[in-house]
């Protein structure tokens, strides 16, 4: 498929327009509670186990790297605080976003794409039913809620895995590891991590919905839309993560 700057700008504008439509439809009644519950359960069912399994090596790698570095610098007492900050601020939201986009987002895109090529979306519009309000909004809200919950799961599992590898494998001091939590970490770190997870969940669902609603070319077109949605979501997530992290460091004083 050929790409042109004009087509890229057009698609970016259409994606942004869909995001605005979703924001406006969030407060429109009736709220699709049943669809929201079904989508939240589905997204959680396909992401909880992979997220927990991925967060363990993430926490382990961070703990091993930081433990080795602090030992070289003679600052072993800060290994716990550094590990917690790395997991809480960056690893947890990123892992959550990748799993939400890779598992939940691809499922959302495939579902809406299949409805599009079967002309169900067109039939809804003919009947006067807004597909954004009926289908997209519940999926976006479900993705945001599940992302916030998964971020907490990743934080707990990642910090627990980091503690195990730092204390058991690297002969760290349990008391020093736990006591150093409050030396550098603070509650706003948790708040911004949850905010990142919610934003990443919304982005993943909106991009997946956009690609699904614009799928063309039969089943092959749906498969292409799924692949494109995952790639676009990953690119947007890293850009948004950089912007939110930079803004956080400017707005919230850091402990030192």
């Amino acid at each position: 498929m050929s790409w042109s700057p004009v087509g890229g700008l057009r698609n970016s504008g259409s994606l942004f327009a869909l995001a605005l439509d979703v924001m406006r439809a969030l407060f429109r009644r009736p709220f699709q509670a049943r669809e929201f519950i079904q989508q939240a359960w589905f997204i959680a069912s396909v992401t909880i186990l992979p997220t927990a399994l991925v967060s363990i090596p993430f926490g382990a790698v961070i703990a091993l790297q930081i433990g080795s570095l602090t030992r070289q610098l003679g600052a072993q007492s800060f290994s716990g605080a550094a590990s917690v900050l790395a997991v809480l601020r960056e690893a947890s939201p990123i892992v959550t976003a990748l799993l939400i986009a890779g598992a939940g987002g691809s499922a959302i895109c495939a579902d809406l794409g299949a409805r599009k090529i079967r002309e169900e979306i067109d039939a809804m519009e003919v009947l006067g039913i807004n597909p954004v309000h009926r289908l997209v909004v519940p999926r976006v809200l479900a993705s945001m809620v599940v992302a916030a919950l998964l971020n907490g799961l990743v934080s707990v599992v990642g910090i627990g895995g980091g503690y195990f590898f730092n204390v058991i494998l690297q002969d760290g001091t349990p008391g020093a590891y736990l006591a150093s939590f409050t030396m550098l970490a603070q509650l706003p770190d948790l708040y911004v991590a949850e905010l990142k997870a919610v934003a990443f969940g919304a982005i993943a669902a909106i991009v997946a919905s956009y690609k699904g609603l614009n799928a063309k070319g039969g089943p092959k077109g749906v498969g292409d839309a799924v692949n494109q949605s995952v790639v676009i979501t990953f690119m947007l997530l890293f850009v948004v993560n950089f912007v939110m992290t930079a803004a956080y460091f400017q707005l919230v004083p850091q402990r030192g």
Side-chain angles (χ1 to χ4, degrees), residues 90-201:
E90 297 300 329
S92 296
I94 290 297
V95 171
T96 300
L98 296 181
L99 268 298
I100 287 289
S106 59
I108 292 174
C109 183
D111 177 37
L112 295 180
R115 292 171 183 259
K116 178 66 176 180
I117 65 173
R118 292 197 303 262
E119 299 182 350
E120 293 182 18
I121 304 298
D122 298 332
M124 293 178 64
E125 293 176 345
V126 170
L127 293 174
I129 301 174
N130 186 356
V132 174
H133 177 251
R134 179 64 179 82
L135 299 175
V136 178
V137 169
R139 286 163 172 77
V140 172
L141 290 177
S143 181
M144 293 167 65
V145 171
V146 174
L149 298 177
L150 286 180
N151 182 72
L153 173 65
V154 175
S155 299
V156 172
V157 176
I159 293 173
Y163 173 85
F164 174 81
F165 281 92
N166 183 272
V167 173
I168 303 301
L169 298 184
Q170 294 186 319
D171 298 326
T173 304
Y177 189 93
L178 296 175
S180 63
F181 278 16
T182 57
M183 296 176 63
L184 298 177
Q186 50 186 343
L187 273 179
D189 295 329
L190 177 61
Y191 299 153
V192 75
E194 289 292 335
L195 181 61
K196 282 184 179 181
V198 171
F200 294 165

Side-chain angles (χ1 to χ4, degrees), residues 46-61:
V46 299
T47 54
I48 286 179
L49 183 58
T51 302
L53 295 177
V54 170
S55 61
I56 294 175
F58 251 83
V61 170

